Amino acid sequence: MWGLIPLHSRTIRPHTVRDDVDGLSSSDEAAGAGRRGRLQPGAAAGVAVPGTLLDTLRVAVVMLDTSGRVLLWSPLAEEMLGWAGEHIVGRRVGGFFDPGEAGTETTGGAHRSGAERILADLLRNGRWDGILSLRHRDGHSVQVEARASMLVDGDGRPFVLASVAETSRLRTLEHDLAALDALYDSSPLGVAVFDTELRYVRVNEALARMNGLSPADHIGRTVGEIVDDPQAGAELTTLQRAVLTTGRPVIDLIMLAPRGLGHRSISYHRLVDRAGSVLGISATVMDVTERKEATDKVERARSRLALLNDVGARIGGLLDVRRGAEELARALVPRFSDYSGVILHAAVADGGELPSVQYSESTPMRQLGVGAIRQGPEVDRMIKLGSVISFNRKSIFGVVLATGQPQLVENDQQLLATTFPGDPKVRATMELGIHSLLVLPLRARGVVLGLLVVSRADGREPFDRDDLALAMELADRAGSGLDNARLYVREREGALMLQRSLLPQTVSQPQGVEVAFRYVPGSSGTEVGGDWFDVIPLAGGRVAFVIGDVMGHGLGAAATMGRLRTAVRTLAGLDMPPHELLRRVNDLGDDLAQDQDEGWMATVVYAVYDPATRRCTLAKAGHLPPVLVHPGGEGGFAGCGASLLEMPSGAPLGVEGVEFESVELDVPDGTVLVLYTDGLVEARGEDISDGLDRLSAVLSRPFSSLEDACDDLLATMVPGREPDDVALLMARLGGLPEGSTASWTFPAEPSAVRRARRRVRETLADWHLEPLTDVTVLLVSELVTNSLRYAHGPIGVRMVRGGSLLVEVSDPLPDPPLERVASTEDEGGRGLQLVARASRRWGTRHGRLGKTVWFELAMPVGGSGT
């Protein structure tokens, strides 16, 4: 047995030197110090394993004879007290005791040291244990706990074998063991230790109570043999084996408690000793039922808030009642229910007023939203989109609509009373296995708009009061959202109606001109725009084309657009040049704005085309440039080319102190003038030039008609563009038919009147308009006479045959003639009165070299005019 412990030993020999460690010489001490820390002979045969519990305790072994001489001195004793073994063996051990321990006592007249007393006890009792204070080689005291026994060798000789350990190490180990015992005994957590066979080795009372068994009933059994559920036992055994094999711990694994009574948190760790050997695993079990319930409650609250937010997000931005109802129904399935339906008053869906009378059997109700976890004939019978919903006043539907209070349907009897007896929808509901139903009012501003109906089928928990509270919150939010959508529909329809009323209801088709147009409202709520266009017939067969865009959106922009359009039409009747018209409109300033405290701004293009001369005069105020599509082959647009018309931009209307310029150009027959607003070419994240290039490219393709060209232009608008109005006006410019005009210039002399009458009479005869000869000749005579009297220069006369007969008389005098009331004694002054009464309409306009007075006569009934 001694071969297991490396010891210092030598043969005991008689000696006369001092029999204690005090007799050690300095040379002996030096030699011992030089060898300190090395194993002595015989130690190589030891098989001590490092890192075990003995290494922690560091127990030294000392063997003594019955006289107290040292026979064996282990290396740990050398390390503990600092004395070399070869210098200690054979000497008495008394020299190691501290003076207090080595004190003498007198018994029966004999004096004995402390070592002698201990030896006497050993001889008398056969064993001794206690705490000693020994002297270290360097002089300090080492407190040890010693256990000594009297033994006898094979020859019958007695000897003393003592084990010595430092008390500090023992106390540390005792504290650790005491803490472990306290953990097992007093911890509210369940604690267990398993061996490498995964059998219980130790279990505390807390875990035993959790499992409903005594600690003794656990020892030697596996967890699979303890738990009631074989599947749970197998899962836990698999986890334990994985921890034992890999060393990876399992921490805070939540599992159901036995018999489903609560929840437990389980943690496993592998146990390894100081030498690295696997001893087993430890388990910590904690009852987390309350924590799990609190966590589940928080999770339910979080999921409910998420559902509220999702529903609000899905329907909050929708300004369409029908789409909002559909999104609401779909958002609740399957997160909250298996089936859902949204039923609304028919007037609400169409943007009408809120219901103002009590709901009754005749109230029109429609299914506008449905959601279902599956589809089939039964589902269609129960919640078919667009179906009419009927009910009687005493049914659950009727009660909820009348009172505005929700109802929880919990059994078949209540389910049968949902709508009316024999309702096929109710039969389909029961066939689908629906066992729980919530009927909720959709309310807004204290008025019930309709119903939200949600249901759960077999295999799902029925609705409870918490679900009812959540559903009411959902219904109230949804009701507000649907009411906002209803208001939007109503306001948008009103705004669009106002806008359409301000736009031209019909567009005239002047002779020599073909017109096509499109207007597309924006899609951003009630924010209608201020885009507009117009085609205005002017005197002399000419026509004005106008397109504009009031900056901003809303009813204010639409109203400003209406006032601006009226101003342009009014000033157009004065037959002034385009740049002058824009200047006059701009001078109106605040009169055109909706609010004088706020400025206004608009971009406009105003163009005047004369089919008789094929000349077009344009001016613009900050608007996008017009496009001219040059004629191609016989197909109209075939082989054509489109180009932006370069002209002075001009500042937008509403900017003070700016000038506008007109541009005149001759246009070939068949040229197409394209006017448009920015909504046609603008796109988010794109330069405006890209949109203009795209517009020119589309217009350069062949088209069979202006209507097709308009449709293709609208079809090429970029998806996802800003929600802005689009106004588009296309006019194919041509001349009057051959022989439709006649013009002459007469010198300012008396014969001019006679010559003008003759030419007019001949022309009307050529045109087969003899019924108009007398009145036309009379009016021309009056106007030429006025020019001859007041002007000094050539007098021009022009006649244009079209939808009416147009006659113009021009002279160099810039001042317009004044109509006055002639007395009975006046010889003149009745010419303009005569023109005003005999013609359908008349007027004057300024030109570059004077003025022009014109009048129109209606074509004779039945006259061919050819």
Side-chain angles (χ1 to χ4, degrees):
M1 65 175 286
W2 304 115
L4 297 177
I5 305 176
L7 300 173
H8 292 286
S9 66
R10 66 180 180 179
T11 304
I12 302 175
R13 58 178 174 81
H15 61 290
T16 58
V17 297
R18 185 176 172 184
D19 292 336
D20 56 29
V21 294
D22 292 334
L24 290 175
S25 66
S26 60
S27 60
D28 291 335
E29 293 177 0
R35 291 186 295 272
R36 189 171 301 132
R38 298 198 304 268
L39 291 177
Q40 300 299 319
V47 293
V49 180
T52 64
L53 187 60
L54 288 177
D55 290 320
T56 302
L57 292 176
R58 302 184 66 80
V59 178
V61 177
V62 178
M63 184 182 295
L64 308 173
D65 62 11
T66 55
S67 65
R69 286 189 175 88
V70 177
L71 302 178
L72 293 174
W73 186 259
S74 72
L76 287 179
E78 179 180 348
E79 293 181 12
M80 187 183 301
L81 297 176
W83 301 100
E86 60 265 32
H87 297 147
I88 296 300
V89 175
R91 293 181 172 83
R92 294 184 183 277
V93 75
F96 290 105
F97 285 74
D98 265 354
E101 296 287 348
T104 60
E105 66 175 13
T106 301
T107 304
H111 299 279
R112 293 192 301 175
S113 66
E116 291 173 342
R117 290 197 309 274
I118 295 174
L119 187 59
D121 290 341
L122 271 171
L123 294 174
R124 183 174 59 254
N125 300 321
R127 59 175 300 171
W128 182 91
D129 60 82
I131 297 177
L132 299 174
S133 182
L134 303 180
R135 180 164 57 89
H136 193 275
R137 178 177 173 274
D138 61 10
H140 71 271
S141 297
V142 178
Q143 192 173 57
V144 299
E145 184 169 340
R147 292 180 182 272
S149 299
M150 181 66 70
L151 303 177
V152 179
D153 64 9
D155 297 331
R157 287 175 299 183
F159 65 92
V160 177
L161 182 64
S163 300
V164 181
E166 293 183 55
T167 56
S168 62
R169 293 178 180 271
L170 288 173
R171 295 297 175 265
T172 300
L173 181 60
E174 287 173 353
H175 290 162
D176 292 343
L177 293 175
L180 181 61
D181 290 340
L183 174 65
Y184 268 87
D185 296 337
S186 62
S187 173
L189 304 180
V191 182
V193 175
F194 296 82
D195 60 17
T196 54
E197 298 298 324
L198 302 180
R199 299 184 180 279
Y200 284 97
V201 176
R202 187 173 182 181
V203 180
N204 72 343
E205 288 290 344
L207 182 58
R209 287 193 300 272
M210 291 182 188
N211 293 336
L213 298 172
S214 67
D217 291 335
H218 288 76
I219 304 303
R221 301 171 69 182
T222 65
V223 68
E225 297 170 341
I226 295 298
V227 300
D228 297 332
D229 186 356
Q231 182 178 356
E235 292 177 358
L236 290 173
T237 301
T238 302
L239 284 174
Q240 289 178 332
R241 196 168 304 282
V243 174
L244 184 68
T245 304
T246 66
R248 289 193 296 268
V250 173
I251 300 175
D252 198 23
L253 174 67
I254 306 299
M255 298 189 68
L256 281 173
R259 297 175 297 280
L261 302 177
H263 291 80
R264 291 180 179 177
S265 169
I266 301 176
S267 300
Y268 291 120
H269 293 78
R270 187 168 70 177
L271 297 177
V272 181
D273 65 11
R274 294 176 179 269
S277 300
V278 177
L279 303 178
I281 62 173
S282 66
T284 304
V285 183
M286 179 169 55
D287 188 342
V288 293
T289 302
E290 293 183 359
R291 189 185 82 181
K292 186 66 169 57
E293 291 175 352
T295 303
D296 291 345
K297 186 175 181 180
V298 171
E299 180 61 25
R300 284 195 300 270
R302 188 202 63 78
S303 62
R304 291 183 176 192
L305 286 175
L307 179 60
L308 286 172
N309 290 334
D310 290 348
V311 171
R314 292 180 68 168
I315 68 173
L318 294 177
L319 297 177
D320 181 277
V321 177
R322 298 178 187 274
R323 286 188 58 198
E326 293 172 3
E327 287 295 328
L328 172 60
R330 286 196 292 263
L332 299 178
V333 176
R335 296 172 64 181
F336 184 70
S337 64
D338 295 327
Y339 303 95
S340 63
V342 178
I343 303 168
L344 292 177
H345 194 290
V348 174
D350 298 330
E353 295 293 336
L354 291 175
S356 57
V357 298
Q358 188 75 18
Y359 282 90
S360 65
E361 289 85 348
S362 60
T363 302
M365 304 291 292
R366 294 195 175 276
Q367 185 88 50
L368 295 185
V370 297
I373 57 173
R374 63 186 180 91
Q375 301 298 324
E378 297 86 359
V379 177
D380 291 339
R381 288 203 308 271
M382 180 180 68
I383 47 172
K384 184 177 181 180
L385 190 64
S387 61
V388 177
I389 305 299
S390 301
F391 61 93
N392 61 42
R393 298 185 64 178
K394 295 184 178 180
S395 66
I396 291 178
F397 277 19
V399 171
V400 175
L401 288 171
T403 64
Q405 298 299 317
Q407 293 287 326
L408 172 60
V409 177
E410 301 177 288
N411 53 57
D412 290 347
Q413 183 177 359
Q414 292 176 325
L415 196 61
L416 291 172
T418 304
T419 54
F420 61 88
D423 187 357
K425 296 180 182 296
V426 176
R427 290 198 300 270
T429 300
M430 303 187 73
E431 292 173 5
L432 289 171
I434 292 175
H435 59 84
S436 186
L437 190 78
L438 288 176
V439 182
L440 310 152
L442 292 170
R443 302 175 297 195
R445 293 179 288 173
V447 178
V448 178
L449 309 179
L451 299 174
L452 172 62
V453 183
V454 293
S455 56
R456 290 179 179 174
D458 294 336
R460 192 161 182 175
E461 290 291 328
F463 292 115
D464 55 22
R465 294 298 169 181
D466 290 340
D467 293 325
L468 178 60
L470 172 63
M472 271 308 301
E473 181 69 20
L474 284 169
D476 287 342
R477 294 193 181 190
S480 298
L482 293 172
D483 185 50
N484 290 336
R486 177 193 67 84
L487 291 173
Y488 158 74
V489 171
R490 187 181 67 176
E491 295 300 322
R492 177 168 173 77
E493 288 300 323
L496 290 177
M497 184 180 299
L498 170 63
Q499 190 176 37
R500 292 190 188 102
S501 68
L502 298 175
L503 292 171
Q505 304 303 305
T506 59
V507 174
S508 60
Q509 298 285 345
Q511 192 170 9
V513 176
E514 178 188 355
V515 177
F517 62 91
R518 294 289 186 273
Y519 179 80
V520 181
S523 58
S524 124
T526 59
E527 296 295 300
V528 296
D531 296 16
W532 96 96
F533 66 93
D534 210 345
V535 179
I536 308 171
L538 300 178
R542 295 169 307 132
V543 60
F545 305 105
V546 190
I547 199 161
D549 182 4
V550 176
M551 294 185 183
H553 293 84
L555 294 177
T560 301
M561 176 268 289
R563 289 190 287 269
L564 188 57
R565 175 174 176 261
T566 301
V568 171
R569 287 189 70 92
T570 301
L571 293 174
L574 300 179
D575 213 355
M576 58 184 63
H579 68 277
E580 179 65 19
L581 182 140
L582 293 181
R583 186 187 66 80
R584 295 282 188 91
V585 173
N586 197 39
D587 288 344
L588 293 175
D590 294 339
D591 292 338
L592 296 176
Q594 180 189 15
D595 188 348
Q596 294 186 0
D597 294 333
E598 298 181 3
W600 69 283
M601 200 171 291
T603 61
V604 180
V605 173
Y606 183 77
V608 176
Y609 177 66
D610 189 347
T613 62
R614 294 177 176 83
R615 291 188 65 80
C616 185
T617 307
L618 307 94
K620 70 188 185 80
H623 202 81
L624 294 172
V627 177
L628 285 181
V629 183
H630 308 291
E634 295 180 357
F637 275 70
C640 61
S643 62
L644 299 175
L645 182 59
E646 295 184 1
M647 55 186 300
S649 175
L653 299 179
V655 179
E656 298 180 357
V658 297
E659 296 294 333
F660 304 98
E661 299 181 44
S662 294
V663 173
E664 287 192 22
L665 62 152
D666 296 320
V667 293
D669 281 352
T671 299
V672 177
L673 176 66
V674 182
L675 305 178
Y676 53 94
T677 55
D678 56 4
L680 182 65
V681 294
E682 281 187 341
R684 186 184 293 112
E686 183 181 76
D687 191 79
I688 189 66
S689 61
D690 296 332
L692 295 175
D693 293 341
R694 184 169 54 250
L695 174 67
S696 299
V698 173
L699 289 173
S700 297
R701 300 201 299 253
F703 294 102
S704 59
S705 67
L706 292 183
E707 296 293 336
D708 291 342
C710 287
D711 292 337
D712 274 22
L713 281 176
L714 295 181
T716 57
M717 289 190 299
V718 176
R721 65 185 183 88
E722 296 291 341
D724 196 6
D725 292 2
V726 175
L728 173 64
L729 178 62
M730 301 181 70
R732 193 194 306 270
L733 308 179
L736 296 176
E738 189 69 26
S740 297
T741 64
S743 61
W744 311 273
T745 301
F746 305 104
E749 55 187 31
S751 62
V753 178
R754 174 176 52 81
R755 292 170 61 188
R757 286 199 298 263
R758 185 176 69 248
R759 293 296 180 89
V760 168
R761 188 177 290 110
E762 292 172 353
T763 301
L764 291 176
D766 293 341
W767 289 350
H768 304 287
L769 296 177
E770 290 84 355
L772 299 180
T773 300
D774 293 340
V775 64
T776 304
V777 169
L778 174 63
L779 298 183
V780 168
S781 298
E782 290 292 335
L783 293 179
V784 172
T785 300
N786 282 344
S787 296
L788 187 63
R789 177 179 300 175
Y790 298 107
H792 302 283
I795 300 171
V797 177
R798 187 170 78 119
M799 298 177 62
V800 180
R801 179 188 58 181
S804 61
L805 178 65
L806 171 68
V807 180
E808 297 178 344
V809 177
S810 58
D811 58 56
L813 186 66
D815 298 331
L818 297 177
E819 184 180 2
R820 62 187 179 88
V821 179
S823 65
T824 55
E825 298 177 355
D826 291 337
E827 295 181 359
R830 298 178 177 84
L832 291 182
Q833 294 184 21
L834 186 61
V835 172
R837 295 195 178 188
S839 64
R840 187 172 67 176
R841 62 175 185 157
W842 75 283
T844 64
R845 71 171 183 270
H846 292 280
R848 288 178 295 177
L849 300 177
K851 69 175 182 300
T852 298
V853 181
W854 57 269
F855 65 86
E856 284 184 5
L857 298 175
M859 287 295 187
V861 178
S864 62
T866 59

